[in-house]
Amino acid sequence: MNDKTIWDDPCPIARSLAFVGDAWSMLILRDAHAGLTRFDQFRKNLGIAPTMLTRRLATLTEEGLLEKRRYSEHPPREEYLLTAAGRDFLPVLFMIGEWGRKYRGEGKLVRFFDAEAGTEIKAVVVDEVTGAKIGTRPIRAVEPDHGA
C-alpha cells in the first residue's frame, strides 16, 4: 500500500496511520502530553536525529496535531503545542500502552496515575452507544455508500 492509496483509503484507521503511524510521531505526541514543547527537549528525551525530528514535527504540525508558536525572537525559536486534535490523541496512546502492558509487559514499566484522584489509570475503550467494551462484541465494517 503506497501513501497515495492510504490517504484515499476509506478506512479511518489507514488514513490516521498514514501520518501518525510511526513510533517517532507517537513518542513525540507522548512527550508533548508530558509537557515537552521545544525541539531540544524532544531531541534529548527521545534520542532522535535532528533531521528525523524536524520531519516528524513538520508532519504533526501540517496535520494539525501540533502548532508552532514563537517563544524567542533573538535567536528565533519556536515551540510545539498540542492542538485539540493532539489532545484528543491521548486516549489512543493510553490504549497502545495498555496493549503493551498486557503483551509486552516484561520488566519494570511506567505507571500512570490520575493526578487528582491518585488512582492508577486503567484505560479501556467503550462504545458510547452500547456501553460495551470494544473487542468484546463482533463488529462489521461498512464501506461508504453501502449503508449500515
Side-chain angles (χ1 to χ4, degrees), residues 7 15-33 36-37 39 42 46 48 51-68 79-87 89-90 93:
W7 288 110
R15 284 188 185 185
S16 299
L17 288 174
F19 73 89
V20 79
D22 70 274
W24 288 124
S25 294
M26 289 194 218
L27 292 172
I28 290 166
L29 290 169
R30 177 205 62 189
D31 286 357
H33 278 281
L36 277 60
T37 60
F39 187 92
F42 290 119
L46 296 171
I48 185 174
T51 53
M52 180 75 70
L53 179 57
T54 298
R55 284 195 303 268
R56 294 306 186 274
L57 287 170
T59 298
L60 291 169
T61 301
E62 289 167 14
E63 295 299 332
L65 281 89
L66 296 174
E67 63 184 356
K68 286 197 288 188
E79 61 185 349
Y80 297 85
L81 304 171
L82 290 163
T83 63
R87 289 187 298 276
F89 200 76
L90 184 60
L93 293 172

Side-chain angles (χ1 to χ4, degrees), residues 92-104:
V92 176
L93 293 172
F94 267 81
M95 288 314 303
I96 292 169
E98 286 297 322
W99 182 89
R101 185 172 303 285
K102 184 173 182 179
Y103 295 103
R104 299 289 184 259

